[in-house]
Amino acid sequence: MNQKLHFSCYPVMKVTPILIVCLTLLLGACSLLSPEKEVTIDIPVSPTPLQKSLKGIWSLEMGSFSGEFQEKELDWSEGIPRKISMEWPKEVELLLLLTPPSWQPGLSPAPWGVYVSSLKDRGDISYKEGASISILMRILQAGVNLEGFNCSRFLEEMGTLDNPWQTDHELLMRQLGRQEMRSWYIRPKTLYRVNLTLPEGSWYFRSLLQEPVVSDGRTLEFTFPEGHTSLYNPASESVVEIQVDDHGEAVWMLTLAGNSHTTGACSVSSK
């Protein structure tokens, strides 16, 4: 299934062989002269247990280093298409983010991202590239000029990490905003081993790069980065949020489908 985000309609007319030739030449010339090109993005298949929760309103953000920015809402209540197409200025790179529907207000899975160079008209959106593209998009939205930025090198460096969502995004945004980017700024957040008891079931992290955790109701040991982490149980539509501070102190909150809350402190074993 392919979704086109932009299309035009033409009146029906009687077609003759001569007219076909003329139209072919005309459309070819228009394509060459058009300031835009059609870009097609391939979308991966989501894990089966999450497919129901991913139906709904998605957020689409598109930007470039030269200042273009567009934002749309996509109604994918009937399911996620395998491809989307959009019109985008020629000779302009495309940064694209797709954010799934929220699990709960203000809390959604991590966005998926893709970078399409100005020389290409096709790309594969991925969970992993979402981390890099979300950093760049936030910087561009803040009005920082990144023209001439070596995006391919940045994506390559981030791509060597198992989970780029666990890098220090604040540091990266600060240094990129100052145009002082160095590869050694791509560093992981401080990680802590946290003991946490989850209700039974499969729990998914915001980033689909991480394998789901299967809980039998007993206490499990996790490795969480400093800051906020959340997990989602699609069967019960419950969310657990964990906040770890820079001293290794951790608290959690479990929100059930009916918005009832349970909170508590986590047991932190060591860094």
Side-chain angles (χ1 to χ4, degrees):
M1 181 168 56
N2 183 16
Q3 180 175 6
K4 279 193 87 170
L5 304 182
H6 176 78
F7 60 90
S8 302
C9 297
Y10 300 93
V12 177
M13 63 180 70
K14 186 176 181 180
V15 179
T16 65
I18 294 178
L19 183 56
I20 291 175
V21 174
C22 293
L23 285 173
T24 301
L25 293 174
L26 180 61
L27 291 174
C30 289
S31 176
L32 291 173
L33 297 175
S34 172
E36 296 187 330
K37 63 181 179 182
E38 183 176 278
V39 179
T40 300
I41 304 297
D42 294 312
I43 302 175
V45 177
S46 306
T48 300
L50 289 177
Q51 289 180 4
K52 180 181 176 182
S53 66
L54 293 175
K55 291 181 179 180
I57 305 300
W58 287 60
S59 172
L60 170 67
E61 298 173 75
M62 299 180 290
S64 76
F65 297 137
S66 52
E68 285 85 0
F69 183 78
Q70 296 181 32
E71 189 170 6
K72 301 176 185 288
E73 286 190 344
L74 305 177
D75 187 351
W76 287 350
S77 301
E78 300 301 318
I80 304 172
R82 294 304 312 279
K83 302 177 188 295
I84 57 174
S85 300
M86 70 283 296
E87 299 295 321
W88 192 249
K90 287 182 177 178
E91 300 181 3
V92 174
E93 70 287 330
L94 170 64
L95 304 172
L96 186 146
L97 272 183
L98 270 175
T99 303
S102 298
W103 292 331
Q104 291 174 1
L107 187 63
S108 65
W112 308 352
V114 64
Y115 167 72
V116 183
S117 78
S118 59
L119 302 177
K120 296 183 178 180
D121 58 8
R122 195 176 197 95
D124 296 301
I125 203 162
S126 71
Y127 312 133
K128 196 167 194 176
E129 209 156 291
S132 308
I133 301 301
S134 64
I135 291 172
L136 296 174
M137 197 73 83
R138 298 292 84 81
I139 295 172
L140 293 170
Q141 288 174 342
V144 176
N145 184 351
L146 288 179
E147 284 196 84
F149 175 68
N150 190 341
C151 187
S152 297
R153 174 66 186 279
F154 177 62
L155 294 177
E156 182 181 336
E157 294 286 348
M158 291 285 279
T160 63
L161 305 175
D162 291 333
N163 186 5
W165 284 103
Q166 291 187 345
T167 56
D168 190 335
H169 285 204
E170 296 300 323
L171 172 64
L172 287 172
M173 285 191 283
R174 185 166 61 249
Q175 296 306 126
L176 283 168
R178 295 171 178 169
Q179 299 186 354
E180 297 177 355
M181 183 61 202
R182 300 291 186 274
S183 61
W184 55 83
Y185 292 134
I186 301 176
R187 62 183 68 161
K189 292 182 178 180
T190 302
L191 298 177
Y192 297 89
R193 290 200 294 271
V194 177
N195 294 322
L196 178 65
T197 304
L198 294 174
E200 292 184 15
S202 296
W203 293 83
Y204 288 81
F205 290 88
R206 290 188 65 232
S207 167
L208 293 182
L209 287 174
Q210 294 174 266
E211 292 294 322
V213 175
V214 180
S215 172
D216 60 4
R218 291 182 289 184
T219 299
L220 300 172
E221 185 179 85
F222 295 85
T223 302
F224 290 138
E226 177 187 335
H228 180 268
T229 301
S230 57
L231 298 104
Y232 174 70
N233 184 320
S236 64
E237 299 183 3
S238 302
V239 174
V240 64
E241 298 178 69
I242 304 96
Q243 183 71 35
V244 183
D245 67 20
D246 56 359
H247 298 293
E249 299 295 327
V251 295
W252 60 267
M253 179 173 71
L254 173 66
T255 305
L256 303 177
N259 284 328
S260 60
H261 303 291
T262 304
T263 60
C266 299
S267 171
V268 181
S269 55
S270 64
K271 287 188 180 181

